[in-house]
Amino acid sequence: MTPAALLHDALLVGAILFALGLVGILSRRNLIVMFLSAELMLQGISVSLVAWSRHHGDWGGHVLVIFVLTVAACEAALALVFVLQAFARTGRLDAAAWQALREGNLPRTVDRGLPAVDTLPPTFPRLTPAGVEPAADEDELLEREHV
Amino acid sequence: MTELLAGRTPGMTLFAAVVCAAASLWLLLPRGQGGRTERVSRWLGGLLGVAALVGLASTGRRLGGLGEESVFLVVSIVAVVSGAATVVCRSPVYAAIWFALALAGVAGVLLVLGAQFLGVATIVVYAGAILVMFLFVLMLAQPAGLAPYDRVSNEPLLSAVTGAVLLGLLTLAIGRMSAGPPICCRMPSKAAALAGTEPTTSPASAASDALAADHVARLGAELFGRHLLAVEAAGLLLLVALVGSIAIVSRGAADAGTAGGRAAT
């Protein structure tokens, strides 16, 4: 693999990770998943930085990624504290629970009725009763089904 | 076949891949439907995502051979696929687990790029510390079952199109950059530019420098030599974040305590 090809492919991977994180942070409503998407964007940036660092033979990219790790740790600590406080107030990890803070000209997010999750009860085969009904055992009638 | 596709009409392939990526992300994101429709759209979205990946790879260069290339291919596919699963997964716990796998893929990419310390540090710091913290918060705060806000998205179509268009533009820019003359390989260092001399580090020697046996020692020398002030600032930042988060938590607990006391009295 030539250095240019390696740079190209690594930059492509970084771009894909960044775009995926962008989609997640734009569209998801769970606060935790939003922060995970932000971390995914940081990972894409890290890959790009290290690729450039390898290409130029400079340690700057490595050093920047170390600082990205540091800031991500701080950000995660503070963000999780805020998420916990928000959860203590609203009881939900929902970004739309704080939609009173939105701009005045934006419409209100309303949850329509959602279809139920498909948890169908298991279907067992039914046999048609046939033959002579056996006499009930008196001992069995005294037994409990569950101990 | 990919070469033929890319050779004939790379622009059309890229466009088709971007459209496929947008449709796939839109199909995979939770939109509040249920039952069979959801299952069908998930399968369709996955297939379209694979098609988009193939298209993006074919607009790049042909991937093949053994050794570094195949390792890079495998770890980058792991990173990208589990990154996509992180974003589209309904359950936040599964999203966090997928993110751990994406971190493993990213660490593999960093290792292939020769950043051994950063690959290990990503696993240790992210997967070992940050992700576990996320999972703790999820265990504290996640309700049983799927919450309604996990099953719907804010504007799934618009955000999927936004991400896919950004991805297409970035791919285009990266392809143009690597197709053009390699001006990027000859960036003179600041000291060399000041002295008016030629840069001493050519890309070949740079690669050997990054892949040297005492890689971590060199990285440490760079970090604690040239960037010492930044290291101190980062330490201060960590301390402030620690103190701040503890202060916010204890103040919130005190508020809750006084509110509970008021309610009790």
Side-chain angles (χ1 to χ4, degrees):
Chain A
M1 208 177 215
T2 61
L6 190 61
L7 174 72
H8 176 274
D9 294 346
L11 286 182
L12 197 58
V13 171
I16 292 175
L17 287 179
F18 187 87
L20 284 173
L22 180 72
V23 171
I25 207 168
L26 282 179
S27 67
R28 294 307 298 264
R29 280 176 55 182
N30 194 313
L31 291 171
I32 299 280
V33 181
M34 286 171 75
F35 279 112
L36 283 181
S37 304
E39 304 282 336
L40 201 63
M41 292 169 85
L42 288 181
Q43 292 297 312
I45 295 298
S46 300
V47 169
S48 303
L49 281 175
V50 172
W52 279 116
S53 180
R54 159 117 187 220
H55 194 68
H56 288 310
D58 187 33
W59 290 104
H62 287 70
V63 173
L64 269 177
V65 173
I66 290 176
F67 290 126
V68 165
L69 277 179
T70 312
V71 175
C74 298
E75 171 229 331
L78 285 173
L80 289 179
V81 166
F82 281 121
V83 165
L84 273 182
Q85 299 280 317
F87 176 75
R89 295 197 181 207
T90 63
R92 290 191 292 166
L93 287 176
D94 189 1
W98 297 90
Q99 61 178 333
L101 301 176
R102 72 189 186 280
E103 297 281 333
N105 53 354
L106 290 181
R108 186 178 168 76
T109 305
V110 181
D111 281 340
R112 289 167 286 104
L114 293 173
V117 184
D118 48 347
T119 52
L120 294 174
T123 56
F124 297 114
R126 286 176 183 277
L127 300 177
T128 50
V132 183
E133 186 176 359
D137 191 356
E138 291 174 2
D139 289 341
E140 266 186 27
L141 288 178
L142 290 178
E143 285 174 3
R144 287 186 299 176
E145 287 185 358
H146 300 287
V147 178
Chain B
M1 184 187 159
T2 54
E3 192 178 47
L4 186 138
L5 276 175
R8 286 280 166 79
T9 50
M12 286 307 292
T13 317
L14 181 61
F15 180 70
V18 167
V19 170
C20 278
S24 146
L25 285 171
W26 180 69
L27 282 171
L28 284 171
L29 280 172
R31 297 192 311 281
Q33 82 279 47
R36 201 180 153 152
T37 330
E38 179 156 6
R39 243 175 288 136
V40 168
S41 74
R42 271 181 162 180
W43 273 102
L44 208 59
L47 285 179
L48 278 176
V50 170
L53 263 185
V54 169
L56 284 176
S58 69
T59 53
R61 65 195 66 253
R62 263 180 50 135
L63 295 162
L66 288 172
E68 196 184 19
E69 288 196 18
S70 57
V71 172
F72 186 85
L73 185 63
V74 168
V75 290
S76 56
I77 282 179
V78 165
V80 167
V81 169
S82 36
T86 307
V87 169
V88 302
C89 218
R90 267 76 172 164
S91 162
V93 179
Y94 284 172
I97 302 295
W98 276 114
F99 182 65
L101 195 58
L103 286 177
V106 167
V109 171
L110 294 184
L111 283 179
V112 173
L113 286 173
Q116 306 145 16
F117 177 76
L118 289 178
V120 178
T122 299
I123 292 287
V124 170
V125 175
Y126 263 104
I130 297 181
L131 196 65
V132 171
M133 218 153 58
F134 275 104
L135 283 174
F136 268 125
V137 171
L138 278 178
M139 279 195 289
L140 283 175
Q142 181 67 15
L146 272 186
Y149 50 84
D150 282 333
R151 296 180 58 210
V152 291
S153 305
N154 279 331
E155 303 286 349
L157 181 63
L158 273 183
S159 55
V161 167
T162 306
V165 165
L166 174 70
L167 180 56
L169 288 178
L170 285 175
T171 311
L172 203 64
I174 293 167
R176 284 208 177 159
M177 178 207 73
S178 67
I183 49 169
C184 48
C185 306
R186 287 267 171 191
M187 180 176 279
S189 66
K190 204 175 276 178
L194 283 177
T197 56
E198 277 291 302
T200 51
T201 55
S202 70
S205 75
S208 64
D209 185 46
L211 299 175
D214 54 350
H215 172 94
V216 180
R218 289 182 191 213
L219 180 58
E222 175 82 13
L223 188 60
F224 291 105
R226 212 173 129 197
H227 302 277
L228 187 58
L229 270 180
V231 171
E232 296 289 337
L236 189 64
L237 181 67
L238 279 168
L239 179 69
V240 168
L242 182 67
V243 172
S245 53
I246 291 174
I248 293 168
V249 163
S250 54
R251 194 179 145 212
D255 283 353
T258 52
R262 247 181 261 128
T265 55

